Amino acid sequence: MHVTKSWALSLAALSLTATHALSTSTPKKVVVTGAGGQTGQALFRKLLTYPEEFTPIGFVRTPESKQSLLDSGIPSGSIAVVDVTDGPAVKAFLTSSPVDAFCICTSGKPAPTGVMTEEGKPVFGYPNGSPEEVDWIGQRNQINACGAGTHVVVCSSMGGTDPSNMLNKLGRTVDSEGKEVGGNILKWKRKAEKYLIDSGLPYTIVHPGGLLNEPGGERELVVGVDDSQEGTTSRLVPREDVAEVMLQALRNEGYRNRSFDLRAKDKGDGVVTTDFAGLLGTLEGKNTDYSLGEIM
């Protein structure tokens, strides 16, 4: 009887200690870059709904983007205007305000230039920064600014194993010497990913398929590597689900030092994913093979 009572008291003490630790733990400070964009904003807003776990700061490129977030109800103290292509500015912010995690959702955004090809197809450019400037130099700036031990979570893209992927052709032109210049967004992204891995910082790199502007939490998610189509014929995934996986990477140690693809089955096909701790189990330890494809 004495042993049982002692065990019960010990269990109660452990329970109180655990509860106290949870209630007094300091929320993780997390930067989300590209917080004015669609995927970055989805992640930023998700993090804001868990103030007991996270204190997010959203980086936006312009005052106009900041005002848009302010108008939507996000507090001013949670937003910073920082251009990621300005290395000293990124470094200065993180030096004065260190973080636990850094989520990279910046990316070059193609747009029609107004010029048409001889075949009648629109010519695309990158008016707010080329892939080299944003997806390589900008990401490198962000990685370099992170302190030792900072968990870096990247939203990248599938397609990196195929140098001829159509995304690489957007913004690509031929100069007066007949040399191809510009474009190659997936190659620049891949270069930045490899740079992150070689940096020694803990990382999680997510390669989503085609992004859908549809609600998340309604589909079975499928992970893979190297642009494999195993698991589903779908090549798409809602942005909200990408944001959720990035958030879960901040919660689950098993996501550290992993690089993988993410797609979603069609709605109604399969079972809606809720076990994010076990999501990467189907990979059996596999990570992206960076010897495939091309890196700039």
Side-chain angles (χ1 to χ4, degrees):
M1 185 67 179
H2 176 70
V3 173
T4 303
K5 185 177 181 180
S6 297
W7 177 83
L9 288 171
S10 297
L11 183 62
L14 285 171
S15 178
L16 285 171
T17 300
T19 301
H20 178 72
L22 286 172
S23 64
T24 60
S25 61
T26 303
K28 289 183 179 180
K29 189 169 184 180
V30 183
V31 161
V32 179
T33 63
Q38 295 181 83
T39 307
Q41 189 170 158
L43 173 59
F44 183 36
R45 290 184 183 278
K46 279 180 179 288
L47 293 170
L48 284 166
T49 64
Y50 298 100
E52 73 285 356
E53 288 186 78
F54 307 109
T55 301
I57 299 293
F59 277 16
V60 294
R61 187 174 58 86
T62 65
E64 291 76 16
S65 291
K66 178 177 180 178
Q67 188 60 53
S68 179
L69 292 178
L70 290 173
D71 292 344
S72 72
I74 293 177
S76 178
S78 296
I79 312 167
V81 178
V82 182
D83 185 344
V84 300
T85 63
D86 183 348
V90 181
K91 183 68 174 178
F93 183 95
L94 293 187
T95 299
S96 63
S97 185
V99 298
D100 301 296
F102 196 98
C103 298
I104 298 177
C105 295
T106 49
S107 179
K109 187 175 181 180
T113 61
V115 177
M116 306 294 286
T117 66
E118 293 180 357
E119 295 79 19
K121 297 180 179 180
V123 175
F124 284 81
Y126 288 89
N128 294 316
S130 70
E132 180 178 5
E133 293 168 324
V134 179
D135 296 273
W136 163 234
I137 296 172
Q139 283 202 42
R140 185 183 64 189
N141 289 342
Q142 295 172 73
I143 294 163
N144 287 345
C146 290
T150 303
H151 183 190
V152 181
V153 182
V154 178
C155 178
S156 186
S157 175
M158 287 186 68
T161 63
D162 179 14
S164 64
N165 188 288
M166 58 85 59
L167 293 177
N168 284 325
K169 299 176 183 178
L170 298 178
R172 187 191 292 168
T173 58
V174 178
D175 65 16
S176 59
E177 298 179 356
K179 180 182 176 182
E180 285 188 344
V181 294
N184 291 319
I185 189 167
L186 297 178
K187 296 181 183 180
W188 289 116
K189 285 181 182 291
R190 210 163 176 82
K191 184 179 181 73
E193 292 168 30
K194 190 65 169 59
Y195 184 83
L196 170 58
I197 292 169
D198 292 342
S199 75
L201 292 169
Y203 66 88
T204 305
I205 300 168
V206 184
H207 301 119
L211 295 167
L212 295 171
N213 293 321
E214 296 182 7
E218 298 181 351
R219 302 168 187 251
E220 180 175 337
L221 303 181
V222 178
V223 292
V225 294
D226 304 329
D227 297 324
S228 169
Q229 293 300 307
E230 291 183 18
T232 178
T233 57
S234 168
R235 297 172 180 264
L236 307 172
V237 61
R239 293 179 190 274
E240 290 283 343
D241 285 324
V242 177
E244 183 63 32
V245 168
M246 295 181 74
L247 183 152
Q248 293 294 335
L250 300 175
R251 286 176 170 164
N252 295 287
E253 287 292 319
Y255 282 69
R256 291 197 173 213
N257 299 329
R258 304 302 303 271
S259 177
F260 57 90
D261 303 339
L262 179 67
R263 295 171 294 140
K265 293 185 178 182
D266 293 333
K267 195 156 50 171
D269 179 14
V271 179
V272 175
T273 296
T274 57
D275 178 15
F276 289 94
L279 179 62
L280 303 190
T282 58
L283 295 179
E284 298 179 338
K286 295 192 293 290
N287 267 344
T288 297
D289 181 355
Y290 285 91
S291 69
L292 303 175
E294 293 180 5
I295 296 177
M296 294 300 292

